[in-house]
Amino acid sequence: MFKPTGSMPITKFYINSFLNLFQALLTNDVVLPKENDIPSLQLTKHSSFIAAYGANKDDYEFCMTEYLRMNGIYWSLTAMDLMGKLDVMDKKGIIDFIKQCQHDNGGIGASIDHDPHLLYTLSAVQVL
């Protein structure tokens, strides 16, 4: 354990110890690669993965993320739009899904047979 030495006041010792620890954490946190070592973004692989997600309705991850479906559609479409690959997505299928999630009161649920909620209604409106 560190102990103050000499005539250093104990408060100053603890402040110095904290600052030294903080500086050590900052300098050893992350080593950024050099500009030439940064790999290129694989847009084709990213867009293929997003477009294929949900193709297998029996997939474990697909079933376990049902409560995130409407938000997932929004974020997937946003990512695809940023990559310039929005035309790859199944627009008719997405619109049909949103219609199936809409309730009589106008609200939209996260997925089919889910209760309507403001968050999922917002995501659906943004998608449309």
Side-chain angles (χ1 to χ4, degrees), residues 53-54 56-74 97 100-101 103 108-115 117 119-120 123:
Y53 185 78
N56 183 4
K57 306 286 188 223
D58 294 329
D59 191 34
Y60 177 76
E61 285 88 7
F62 185 82
C63 295
M64 294 305 294
T65 59
E66 183 181 44
Y67 69 100
L68 299 170
R69 191 80 61 235
M70 194 63 66
N71 297 82
I73 291 171
Y74 168 74
F97 175 76
Q100 291 175 353
C101 295
H103 291 260
I108 298 173
S111 191
I112 300 168
D113 295 331
H114 284 236
D115 292 334
H117 191 277
L119 175 64
Y120 308 118
S123 292

Side-chain angles (χ1 to χ4, degrees), residues 50 69-81 123 127:
I50 292 172
R69 191 80 61 235
M70 194 63 66
N71 297 82
I73 291 171
Y74 168 74
W75 286 111
S76 297
L77 290 174
T78 301
M80 294 296 272
D81 190 30
S123 292
V127 165

